[in-house]
Amino acid sequence: MKKLVLTAVAAAMCVTAPMPAAADNHAAPELAEVDWYRVMMIKWKPGKAGRAHEMIDQFRKVDEALGLSGGVDIHMNTGEWDSIVALPMRQGIAAMGWKENPEGKKWDDELARQLGGKEKVEEMWKEFDSLIARQQRHIGHIDRD
């Protein structure tokens, strides 16, 4: 009986409704009004959170120099993660398909300028990565309305 009910529900869900009249005009679909973010959930190695946040402050200085804002670094008090960092994707979700993001290149160049060269940037990223016990990366959005 349970199988019969599940089959009936599945069949009912497959029934298609007629398309609205507006779909006949072949207009391009409207994009959702959302702001996209790269979201990182981070568990720091024991005793390393302080140094990690010093480095994140350096990243903020790069944003400030470029006139950027909007990144959020949440220090967690509960749960499995120590930090949740949300970085705006200023060019939207489409930027994920770029071979090289021009805005990202500007950001990398400014970091290199502030630190004194690309070798220093590589050292900083190596150290930053060494502070992380584990992390998850996600993409999310905030509705504008």
Side-chain angles (χ1 to χ4, degrees):
M1 181 66 176
K2 189 186 239 183
K3 191 173 185 179
L4 180 63
V5 171
L6 289 174
T7 303
V9 169
M13 291 175 70
C14 290
V15 175
T16 58
M19 294 296 289
D24 291 337
N25 66 11
H26 300 292
E30 192 173 325
L31 293 175
E33 293 290 324
V34 298
D35 293 317
W36 291 96
Y37 288 83
R38 294 181 192 274
V39 180
M40 292 158 288
M41 288 138 28
I42 304 166
K43 180 72 174 175
W44 304 112
K45 288 182 179 173
K48 301 299 181 179
R51 176 63 181 138
H53 290 292
E54 288 173 9
M55 296 175 91
I56 290 170
D57 286 341
Q58 177 64 50
F59 301 151
R60 282 193 185 126
K61 290 177 186 174
V62 173
D63 286 348
E64 289 171 11
L66 295 173
L68 304 174
S69 64
V72 178
D73 177 19
I74 303 170
H75 302 229
M76 300 303 295
N77 295 90
T78 61
E80 67 180 288
W81 304 106
D82 297 323
S83 294
I84 297 177
V85 179
L87 302 172
M89 298 171 68
R90 290 177 179 85
Q91 299 82 30
I93 196 79
M96 290 183 65
W98 293 355
K99 186 171 185 175
E100 183 177 16
N101 182 327
E103 297 301 314
K105 182 167 178 6
K106 286 180 193 173
W107 195 93
D108 292 342
D109 290 346
E110 178 60 23
L111 180 62
R113 188 193 69 72
Q114 288 186 21
L115 294 180
K118 296 203 182 282
E119 300 80 25
K120 298 283 187 186
V121 171
E122 287 178 27
E123 291 172 19
M124 183 178 205
W125 283 121
K126 200 176 284 188
E127 180 185 359
F128 188 77
D129 290 343
S130 77
L131 306 175
I132 299 171
R134 62 189 173 86
Q135 68 178 327
Q136 288 184 5
R137 294 174 181 230
H138 298 277
I139 302 293
H141 73 273
I142 297 174
D143 294 330
R144 288 188 203 157
D145 31 50

